[in-house]
Amino acid sequence: MQNYLFFVAKRAVQLLAVIFFGVSAAFLITHLSPINPVEQAINRITGRSNFSPEAVADMRAALTALYGIEEPLWSKFINFWRRIVVLDLGPSLIAFPTPATTLVMRALPWTVGLLATAVVFTWLIGNILGGLAGYYQNNRVLKGVGIVAMGLQPIPYYIVAFILLIVFGFVWPVLPISGGFAMNVRPGWNWPFIGSVLSHAILPALSLVLVGLGTWFLGMRALVSNIISEDYVTYAELAGVNKRTIVASYVIRNAAVPQLTALAMTLGAIFSGTVITEEVFSYPGLGSLLIAAVNAGDYALVLAVATVAITAVAGAIFIVDLLHPILDPRITVE
Amino acid sequence: MIMTTMQTDDVLTVKGLKAYYKMGYFGIEREVRAVDDVTMSIRRNEIYGIAGESSSGKTSLIKTFAAAIRPPLQIVGGSMTYRFGDKIIDPYAATKAQVDAIRWKNMSYIMQGSMSVLNPVRKIRRAFRDFALRPMGLNERQFWLAVSQHLERLNLPERVLNSYPHELSGGMRQRVTIALATVCRPQFIIADEPTTALDVVVQKDVLAMIRDVQREIGSSVVFVTHDMSVHANIADRIGIVYAGRLVEEGPTRTLFTAPRHPYTAHLVASLPRIGDLSKKPSLDGRPPNLADPPKGCRFHPRCPMAVAKCATEVPPMETIGPDHRSACWRADEVRPLTTLGKPQEARV
């Protein structure tokens, strides 16, 4: 037990280091971007009407001072970290002076709700079906699932997403194709809103599940078809051990360990995947926010999104790491 | 199929049993005759050793005994009947539920490579529960009491129950497996190479353990190994398997001192003895390909005593002495290749 606590502490330190370096890298990349947020803001304002050059110059000077972009990089870096410790990510530049944190927190539930649900659901269904398909290799239904999974898996995500859009939004228009909820409902804990959110989430979630399912299904099926020829499975069968116990505790249990590792490794891809998903389905999550921020040169907001994403992924991997020694007793903690 | 007829002392009766690996690749059918026309019986309260070289079909034979065969290996002919008390069952004619009902309760199996037969992510305690709770039909408390008594009898510390398989040494794991296979006190125990991959000291302990358990329960043990010295130590009777066929069967001492099949004679002669400096006679050639075995006696291409008849006609298994059967046309002429002194009495 003491070993385990020491292991947790060690991994926690690693977690903090990963977050620090990741966020720092994001900071440097955004600040070295050639897009100047001041020019972007001026373009936005002056685009609507004519301004005198003096007024524009004044505005530029005022905005530059306001955004604090004249400061040297290192002092910005130190300020950035000083503020981040108290969870202040600075004001957003496109929605000045709304704090970036507020924008991120507004978008986060959408992304987490959609992605976490879709990913966990995909992982569970894919692994359970794959495990059963690997064990009951002659089952017709599971063979069919295997063929579908194998056919779907190589199709690029955006193609699947667009096909879903076309089929369910145009050919057979039964589902909303964009947004997070309908315009005519009042956000809050009321049934029309919840129903609207769920119906809007179906297509993006379905696209993620369809694409992800194949990978987990095929991976698990391959793992399990190896495990069923392992001696301990044969032996349990010879002993007449209950079939359900064999499938759950001997076969799937042993295959789950590498699949859990794989899950931790794909968590990083979730946040990059969200950009495409949310763009295709105009979903009001972190991905849409990120694209808006990048286009406007709003590095404060980009950084805020990146910081949240890095922390979330590192945190999820941390949790999976902690589960490992519990799932597989052969993994020793030092 | 459960009947109540026959009153013999045999726990297992096998008649003309054939089990082939049947494979079809690209429309070409291939069959490997791993168990070919085996007739034998295992008595109550004896240790029966099955000997033979690698890929001679030993493991296929006892897998067939254990009703553990899977395609491509399948029964092609013959019959196999267990008799447990007054319950008579042919596993290949019975339903899966009936077969599962005798597993572990009446018949258990110690598998080859006991290093890997335990689930690596479950404690030994769970293995005992999974394997033995149902067949023993006890409630949890009585069950764990029975398990700890059994472990105590086998001189195994009770803490092994709380270990994971990887935390035990090889010998310990093998002994745990034997404890697991015997905890229900089955009448029939099948052991496939239980001492392979163990060093000789541990081997001796494990053999002693099997011997003790067998004596205590009074069950029958079918024991497979290629190691003739292990057979000499533990078996009451030995059956020699060559290329999927039983070629000779007899009491251990008879087989070692007066083998009546040329193959057995060579096996026995190949055993090293302290102080013996003579060159061991070795057989030319390789074990036959079971997909295309030689006609007639399968041993004839390598047999120094082969005559024309051996190449065309299969010698039948005939009784040639008390409890002693041999399948050789010239069984009467076979003499031991080395003169053994009295076989050592040392039994573990």
Side-chain angles (χ1 to χ4, degrees):
Chain A
M1 195 60 213
Q2 203 168 1
N3 277 350
Y4 188 70
L5 288 179
F6 183 68
F7 164 76
V8 173
K10 207 172 74 173
R11 288 292 295 113
V13 172
Q14 276 176 11
L15 168 74
L16 293 178
V18 165
I19 293 176
F20 175 77
F21 285 112
V23 172
S24 299
F27 176 87
L28 289 176
I29 291 166
T30 48
H31 281 78
L32 295 174
S33 148
I35 301 175
N36 185 338
V38 174
E39 295 305 325
Q40 296 287 326
I42 288 173
N43 283 346
R44 235 179 7 251
I45 298 163
T46 58
R48 299 203 190 102
S49 55
N50 289 327
F51 282 84
S52 68
E54 291 78 16
V56 172
D58 282 349
M59 201 165 7
R60 181 173 290 131
L63 282 176
T64 307
L66 189 60
Y67 289 179
I69 55 173
E70 282 295 81
E71 278 181 72
L73 195 59
W74 61 267
S75 91
K76 280 195 278 189
F77 184 68
I78 290 171
N79 275 331
F80 171 71
W81 274 108
R82 195 177 287 156
R83 280 185 283 115
I84 222 172
V85 180
V86 291
L87 298 179
D88 173 13
L89 290 159
S92 155
L93 306 185
I94 36 173
F96 197 82
T98 319
T101 324
T102 310
L103 291 179
V104 169
M105 283 308 154
R106 208 178 283 163
L108 195 60
W110 294 100
T111 296
V112 170
L114 178 67
L115 281 173
T117 321
V119 165
V120 170
F121 194 70
T122 312
W123 191 80
L124 283 177
I125 300 286
N127 279 320
I128 291 172
L129 282 181
L132 293 175
Y135 192 76
Y136 299 103
Q137 287 180 347
N138 295 322
N139 186 300
R140 291 249 176 104
V141 177
L142 292 167
K143 268 186 186 168
V145 175
I147 292 169
V148 172
M150 221 182 280
L152 269 177
Q153 200 230 349
I155 304 177
Y157 170 73
Y158 44 89
I159 304 267
V160 174
F162 279 123
I163 290 175
L164 284 178
L165 274 185
I166 292 167
V167 170
F168 292 103
F170 183 70
V171 178
W172 186 38
V174 286
L175 288 169
I177 56 167
S178 76
F181 55 93
M183 291 294 194
N184 58 355
V185 294
R186 183 195 299 271
W189 290 109
N190 56 67
W191 285 115
F193 176 69
I194 293 172
S196 177
V197 167
L198 288 180
S199 73
H200 278 76
I202 291 177
L203 277 187
L206 189 63
S207 70
L208 289 168
V209 170
L210 281 181
V211 172
L213 203 61
T215 319
W216 294 121
F217 178 87
L218 297 175
M220 188 65 172
R221 194 175 63 175
L223 273 171
V224 164
S225 41
N226 274 332
I227 286 176
I228 54 167
S229 55
E230 290 280 347
D231 286 347
Y232 52 84
V233 177
T234 318
Y235 198 52
E237 283 170 346
L238 277 185
V241 173
N242 185 318
K243 199 97 178 166
R244 223 175 280 167
T245 313
I246 294 181
V247 176
S249 307
Y250 286 70
V251 177
I252 294 187
R253 177 75 166 67
N254 273 284
V257 181
Q259 286 297 79
L260 190 72
T261 317
L263 175 67
M265 286 160 75
T266 50
L267 283 178
I270 291 175
F271 273 90
S272 49
T274 176
V275 175
I276 302 176
T277 312
E278 292 178 4
E279 194 64 9
V280 170
F281 295 98
S282 311
Y283 207 71
L286 279 185
S288 304
L289 190 65
L290 183 66
I291 289 180
V294 168
N295 287 338
D298 184 351
Y299 53 70
L301 191 51
V302 172
L303 255 182
V305 174
T307 306
V308 169
I310 290 169
T311 315
V313 173
I317 294 177
F318 175 67
I319 292 170
V320 170
D321 258 4
L322 297 192
L323 282 178
H324 254 142
I326 295 170
L327 270 181
D328 190 342
R330 284 167 298 179
I331 297 172
T332 50
V333 291
E334 294 138 27
Chain B
M1 189 169 68
I2 294 176
M3 305 167 291
T4 40
T5 48
M6 276 200 317
Q7 285 298 319
T8 59
D9 218 16
D10 297 339
V11 178
L12 173 66
T13 313
V14 174
K15 284 198 181 112
L17 190 66
K18 292 181 184 177
Y20 296 170
Y21 289 87
K22 288 200 157 185
M23 285 164 286
Y25 293 118
F26 309 112
I28 300 168
E29 292 288 328
R30 244 172 72 109
E31 52 179 35
V32 174
R33 302 179 184 178
V35 176
D36 208 0
D37 208 1
V38 170
T39 298
M40 61 192 284
S41 54
I42 312 287
R43 297 173 193 149
R44 203 164 56 75
N45 198 5
E46 75 167 347
I47 297 189
Y48 189 100
I50 293 177
E53 60 202 335
S54 299
S55 74
S56 60
K58 307 186 295 281
T59 295
S60 298
L61 179 61
I62 56 164
K63 269 192 182 156
T64 314
F65 286 177
I69 62 173
R70 278 190 186 163
L73 182 60
Q74 49 191 280
I75 300 288
V76 179
S79 74
M80 188 180 104
T81 321
Y82 278 105
R83 186 169 161 279
F84 300 119
D86 49 7
K87 186 164 79 179
I88 290 173
I89 178 166
D90 173 354
Y92 294 106
T95 64
K96 191 180 174 305
Q98 285 172 332
V99 178
D100 278 347
I102 63 164
R103 288 192 191 284
W104 243 247
K105 186 174 166 58
N106 302 116
M107 171 189 85
S108 72
Y109 189 40
I110 301 168
M111 206 162 91
Q112 193 166 6
S114 284
M115 301 298 120
S116 53
V117 300
L118 296 168
N119 187 347
V121 299
R122 271 164 103 76
K123 286 186 175 168
I124 307 286
R125 176 181 294 280
R126 305 290 290 272
F128 270 91
R129 196 172 187 286
D130 290 347
F131 280 55
L133 182 60
R134 177 195 53 84
M136 284 176 90
L138 299 172
N139 68 32
E140 289 268 339
R141 220 172 55 83
Q142 292 169 324
F143 172 72
W144 290 117
L145 197 68
V147 169
S148 60
Q149 279 170 355
H150 184 65
L151 290 179
E152 199 177 320
R153 260 198 306 274
L154 299 181
N155 285 323
L156 280 167
E158 207 171 329
R159 65 174 166 79
V160 296
L161 286 179
N162 288 324
S163 309
Y164 286 103
H166 70 277
E167 293 169 344
L168 303 175
S169 66
M172 197 62 150
R173 227 181 293 180
Q174 182 64 69
R175 285 160 47 176
V176 167
T177 322
I178 293 171
L180 185 61
T182 52
V183 66
C184 302
R185 308 172 72 81
Q187 293 103 308
F188 197 79
I189 301 167
I190 298 163
D192 190 358
E193 308 255 9
T195 56
T196 311
L198 298 177
D199 68 56
V200 282
V201 177
V202 181
Q203 224 177 62
K204 183 170 160 276
D205 287 350
V206 168
L207 289 177
M209 186 168 170
I210 293 177
R211 198 25 145 178
D212 292 347
V213 173
Q214 185 269 334
R215 275 188 188 146
E216 203 223 310
I217 309 178
S219 54
S220 317
V221 174
V222 174
F223 188 94
V224 163
T225 174
H226 58 265
D227 189 341
M228 289 303 284
S229 53
V230 170
H231 282 301
N233 270 322
I234 191 170
D236 297 315
R237 286 196 301 150
I238 299 180
I240 308 285
V241 173
Y242 183 82
R245 289 228 167 105
L246 193 63
V247 294
E248 186 171 5
E249 181 194 70
T252 305
R253 181 178 302 204
T254 315
L255 228 61
F256 275 90
T257 52
R260 298 293 287 279
H261 191 284
Y263 180 64
T264 317
H266 275 91
L267 270 186
V268 172
S270 70
L271 279 177
R273 267 174 295 275
I274 292 173
D276 179 5
L277 298 175
S278 66
K279 197 165 182 299
K280 300 291 164 205
S282 80
L283 285 170
D284 292 333
R286 322 190 105 263
N289 175 3
L290 292 179
D292 182 22
K295 288 213 162 43
C297 172
R298 288 183 178 176
F299 187 57
H300 84 263
R302 299 169 74 187
C303 182
M305 296 173 67
V307 292
K309 193 182 187 184
C310 300
T312 51
E313 284 172 62
V314 180
M317 194 74 172
E318 276 176 351
T319 305
I320 48 166
D323 260 357
H324 193 177
R325 296 188 297 153
S326 167
C328 179
W329 290 118
R330 302 176 66 190
D332 293 342
E333 301 160 48
V334 179
R335 292 290 168 264
L337 292 174
T338 46
T339 42
L340 272 180
K342 281 185 72 144
Q344 286 191 332
E345 284 297 321
R347 276 263 172 93
V348 281

